[in-house]
Amino acid sequence: MKIGFCMFLWTTNVTGKHQKLLRDIKATGYDGVEIPIFEGTPDDYRRLGEMLDRIGLERTAVSAMGDPAMNLISPSAATRKAGVTYMKWAIDCAEALGAKTLSGPLHSTLGQFSGVGPTSAEKKRSVASQRAIGDHAGQHGVTIGLEALNRFECYLLNTMADLSAHVDEIGHPNIRAMYDTFHANIEEADPIGAYTKHVRNIAHIHISENDRGVPGRGDIPWKKTFAAIKESGYDGWLTIEAFGRGLKDLAAATKVWRDFAESPEAVYREGYAHIRKGWKRA
């Protein structure tokens, strides 16, 4: 098991100016960081990867698609093609970064709603889009971790059962699922069962408190969560995802209207200790 921290708490564009922060994250004990991919070129991410190597941090990658003009489930073939093109670029950047996984709600437009639930036609278009993305990901050694989001952020995939069934239908080795404790806490009648029943498809895990603040201070059933993950034999990343108000666009997308901790340091230092302690006791 490896412990990571997502850089969303500070930025969607990690650069050399974050080196001091990254070194403190490393000194705290983290194995790696999760790097947002939203802008730049593969060369930019290659240089960032070299900096992370010097610091001694491994990395995963995360992205999202907020532009309706590249919706992967759109009835427009041109729109879906634009989405696949975006994903190919993100995969190329992840490979250059040295990230083996690229996760997030990479199945539909974040925050866009049709007014009804997902249709069979949308699911069918999603399967085709994801297979094309999976082929590119496979060629570049990257695994995509699709994320089920709560009903207030997306409508295509809200539960692990729906996500896992969709991954099965896609049937591509490079298209997998991720489990997020925050979203599961909202959508799942049994958040622990939602993990254990679908662990065969899970390639990545986000550790996130019910208020998106400091892990361990809220009401996520952490004892049972860590026990279930450990018992399942999962040996991948446990990556903390927390949010603040520093980035206006990201705060608006994630509906963050207040600070959830007294400082970012409290989030990543206390969060790291929480995972270590919980894992040891599991």
Side-chain angles (χ1 to χ4, degrees):
M1 182 273 293
K2 296 179 180 180
I3 303 177
F5 197 93
C6 181
M7 296 298 289
F8 272 154
L9 187 58
W10 299 275
T11 185
T12 57
N13 183 30
V14 181
T15 67
K17 70 181 182 181
H18 297 103
Q19 184 168 171
K20 182 178 179 181
L21 169 62
L22 291 164
R23 290 190 180 280
D24 194 54
I25 290 173
K26 171 63 179 180
T28 300
Y30 284 90
D31 299 293
V33 287
E34 190 150 270
I35 300 296
I37 295 179
F38 287 93
E39 59 186 282
T41 68
D43 283 343
D44 293 328
Y45 290 94
R46 186 172 292 107
R47 287 189 289 271
L48 176 57
E50 291 169 353
M51 182 180 75
L52 293 173
D53 285 340
R54 291 193 294 272
I55 294 171
L57 286 169
E58 298 180 51
R59 75 267 0 192
T60 59
V62 64
S63 191
M65 306 172 75
D67 185 354
M70 53 186 186
N71 191 354
L72 291 166
I73 62 172
S74 169
S76 165
T79 299
R80 296 196 304 275
K81 182 178 179 181
V84 172
T85 298
Y86 173 87
M87 282 300 302
K88 288 181 177 178
W89 163 82
I91 289 164
D92 292 347
C93 292
E95 179 191 27
L97 176 67
K100 299 297 184 182
T101 61
L102 170 62
S103 300
L106 302 170
H107 44 69
S108 55
T109 302
L110 181 65
Q112 183 181 41
F113 299 90
S114 66
V116 296
T119 66
S120 58
E122 287 174 324
K123 291 285 186 72
K124 185 176 181 181
R125 290 193 288 266
S126 177
V127 168
S129 295
Q130 293 300 329
R131 286 175 179 169
I133 292 165
D135 286 345
H136 190 79
Q139 293 166 8
H140 293 268
V142 174
T143 296
I144 304 297
L146 297 180
E147 181 178 18
L149 298 189
N150 69 77
R151 76 195 79 171
F152 308 108
E153 296 182 40
C154 87
Y155 71 96
L156 184 70
L157 298 166
N158 298 133
T159 68
M160 289 304 297
D162 286 344
L163 173 58
S164 190
H166 197 52
V167 168
D168 285 341
E169 187 175 0
I170 293 164
H172 197 292
N174 290 82
I175 304 295
R176 305 283 301 285
M178 69 166 289
Y179 177 78
D180 185 298
T181 57
F182 170 82
H183 296 294
N185 186 62
I186 295 173
E187 292 295 336
E188 307 288 357
D190 178 7
I192 307 302
Y195 171 80
T196 57
K197 291 175 184 177
H198 306 291
V199 64
R200 61 188 172 78
N201 279 330
I202 294 173
H204 193 57
I205 294 176
H206 270 175
I207 298 297
S208 189
E209 193 50 89
N210 69 288
D211 65 352
R212 293 195 186 273
V214 181
R217 293 188 182 181
D219 68 0
I220 298 291
W222 291 114
K223 183 177 180 180
K224 293 181 179 179
T225 297
F226 288 129
I229 295 171
K230 196 169 191 178
E231 186 177 349
S232 75
Y234 175 84
D235 195 34
W237 287 92
L238 298 182
T239 296
I240 294 175
E241 184 184 50
F243 292 96
R245 294 188 298 165
L247 299 170
K248 291 183 178 180
D249 289 346
L250 187 59
T254 54
K255 310 299 185 290
V256 170
W257 314 124
R258 68 187 190 280
D259 292 323
F260 300 129
E262 62 275 19
S263 68
E265 290 79 9
V267 182
Y268 68 84
R269 291 174 184 166
E270 191 173 323
Y272 177 82
H274 169 70
I275 293 179
R276 275 289 174 216
K277 183 184 295 183
W279 193 256
K280 183 178 181 180
R281 291 178 175 176

